[in-house]
Amino acid sequence: MSNLKAKAVLFDLFETLVTEFSEGKRISNRNYDYFELLGLPNEEYKKEWRIRSKARMTGILPYYPSVIRDILIKRELSYKEESIKFLYEERMREKEIPFREIKPEIIDLLSFLKSEKVSLGLVSNCTEEEVRCWEDSGISKYFDVAIFSYEVGYAKPDERIYKLACNHLKVDPRESIFVGDGGSDELTGAYNIGLTPIQAMWFNSYIESNFTKAADPLTLKEMLKDI
């Protein structure tokens, strides 16, 4: 029997359980010349990438190479498959980095929740290459379900993705908590279906919200005892 009132805790992944940044800078030190590789100036490439954010996250463009091809086809640019392969392999290497060293306080938090018999769910807006290392990360074993947006076809803050996680866990959202850094308006989406949102501030403290905030995993651990 758990001493906590919550029956389940749903977590965001990036910038909540793992991070791609250190002291405000991307750890991978990403730096590619897209004009040389693809024939598209860097700023134009980034613009096209952002335009396809929803299509990437919801699996309409399911793989990184399909995104690049779509950009180049729409721009009527020829391309070399070896350039796409190079960028895809580099991106997979980048996305492996956050999973190499999980912070001990994250492990402690997840271990505590499992010891309290609380169900754990992951709800992540992501693409295929971003979560290839999830299963071998050392934290996947704590979770009862992992919902990846590109697999299910909808992304936070779409209410359906939270409901799907709750249905898998067989819990009522009103008896559950969602923890995330607040990107993609995820806290509001969680609130709208009855989840209690808590903003994780330990990796990303720049997103503003009116929701309850936890400065670090230890603080969250103590907060959960009172919610």
Side-chain angles (χ1 to χ4, degrees), residues 35-80:
F35 186 75
E36 180 180 346
L37 290 163
L38 305 174
L40 195 61
N42 284 18
E43 287 307 312
E44 288 297 304
Y45 171 82
K46 291 175 184 178
K47 176 183 174 182
E48 294 286 356
W49 180 259
R50 288 192 295 268
I51 288 171
R52 289 162 175 79
S53 177
K54 185 174 181 179
R56 291 188 291 110
M57 294 300 156
T58 57
I60 295 171
L61 294 170
Y63 299 101
Y64 182 83
S66 66
V67 181
I68 304 302
R69 292 190 191 99
D70 188 67
I71 291 172
L72 297 175
I73 288 168
K74 294 292 184 0
R75 286 285 188 135
E76 298 183 345
L77 293 169
S78 59
Y79 56 87
K80 297 179 180 178

Side-chain angles (χ1 to χ4, degrees), residues 93-111:
R93 274 192 278 270
E94 284 182 33
K95 297 302 178 179
E96 176 189 351
I97 294 172
F99 295 100
R100 287 179 185 168
E101 292 186 21
I102 308 298
K103 301 292 185 184
E105 53 268 35
I106 296 292
I107 299 293
D108 178 67
L109 171 63
L110 298 177
S111 298

Side-chain angles (χ1 to χ4, degrees), residues 80-95:
K80 297 179 180 178
E81 283 295 333
E82 53 262 40
S83 293
I84 295 176
K85 181 181 179 183
F86 167 77
L87 286 170
Y88 186 31
E89 290 174 348
E90 287 297 304
R91 184 167 174 81
M92 285 189 288
R93 274 192 278 270
E94 284 182 33
K95 297 302 178 179

Side-chain angles (χ1 to χ4, degrees), residues 40-188:
L40 195 61
N42 284 18
E43 287 307 312
E44 288 297 304
Y45 171 82
K46 291 175 184 178
K47 176 183 174 182
E48 294 286 356
W49 180 259
R50 288 192 295 268
I51 288 171
R52 289 162 175 79
S53 177
K54 185 174 181 179
R56 291 188 291 110
M57 294 300 156
T58 57
I60 295 171
L61 294 170
Y63 299 101
Y64 182 83
S66 66
V67 181
I68 304 302
R69 292 190 191 99
D70 188 67
I71 291 172
L72 297 175
I73 288 168
K74 294 292 184 0
R75 286 285 188 135
E76 298 183 345
L77 293 169
S78 59
Y79 56 87
K80 297 179 180 178
E81 283 295 333
E82 53 262 40
S83 293
I84 295 176
K85 181 181 179 183
F86 167 77
L87 286 170
Y88 186 31
E89 290 174 348
E90 287 297 304
R91 184 167 174 81
M92 285 189 288
R93 274 192 278 270
E94 284 182 33
K95 297 302 178 179
E96 176 189 351
I97 294 172
F99 295 100
R100 287 179 185 168
E101 292 186 21
I102 308 298
K103 301 292 185 184
E105 53 268 35
I106 296 292
I107 299 293
D108 178 67
L109 171 63
L110 298 177
S111 298
F112 164 73
L113 290 171
K114 293 311 290 183
S115 72
E116 290 292 320
K117 310 301 181 187
V118 174
S119 296
L120 295 185
L122 184 81
V123 183
S124 176
N125 283 4
C126 61
T127 54
E128 168 267 339
E129 78 281 357
E130 291 179 318
V131 290
R132 282 197 172 195
C133 295
W134 166 250
E135 288 297 336
D136 299 322
S137 65
I139 55 175
S140 64
K141 64 184 179 182
Y142 294 100
F143 285 80
D144 301 289
V145 65
I147 305 294
F148 298 133
S149 64
Y150 82 95
E151 290 184 331
V152 300
Y154 28 84
K156 296 174 291 185
D158 190 318
E159 294 178 13
R160 291 174 293 180
I161 197 166
Y162 308 95
K163 289 178 180 177
L164 184 61
C166 289
N167 288 342
H168 274 286
L169 296 174
K170 296 181 172 59
V171 294
D172 188 318
R174 292 169 296 182
E175 299 174 318
S176 307
I177 292 166
F178 177 82
V179 180
D181 69 301
S184 302
D185 207 19
E186 63 184 356
L187 300 171
T188 299

Side-chain angles (χ1 to χ4, degrees), residues 14-15 18-32 34 46 49-50 56-57 90-91 93-98 129-130 203-204 206:
F14 290 101
E15 308 317 314
V18 300
T19 183
E20 296 186 86
F21 298 88
S22 177
E23 298 181 353
K25 296 181 180 179
R26 190 176 291 275
I27 298 170
S28 65
N29 194 28
R30 179 189 301 168
N31 185 25
Y32 304 117
Y34 293 106
K46 291 175 184 178
W49 180 259
R50 288 192 295 268
R56 291 188 291 110
M57 294 300 156
E90 287 297 304
R91 184 167 174 81
R93 274 192 278 270
E94 284 182 33
K95 297 302 178 179
E96 176 189 351
I97 294 172
E129 78 281 357
E130 291 179 318
F203 290 136
N204 182 357
Y206 304 107

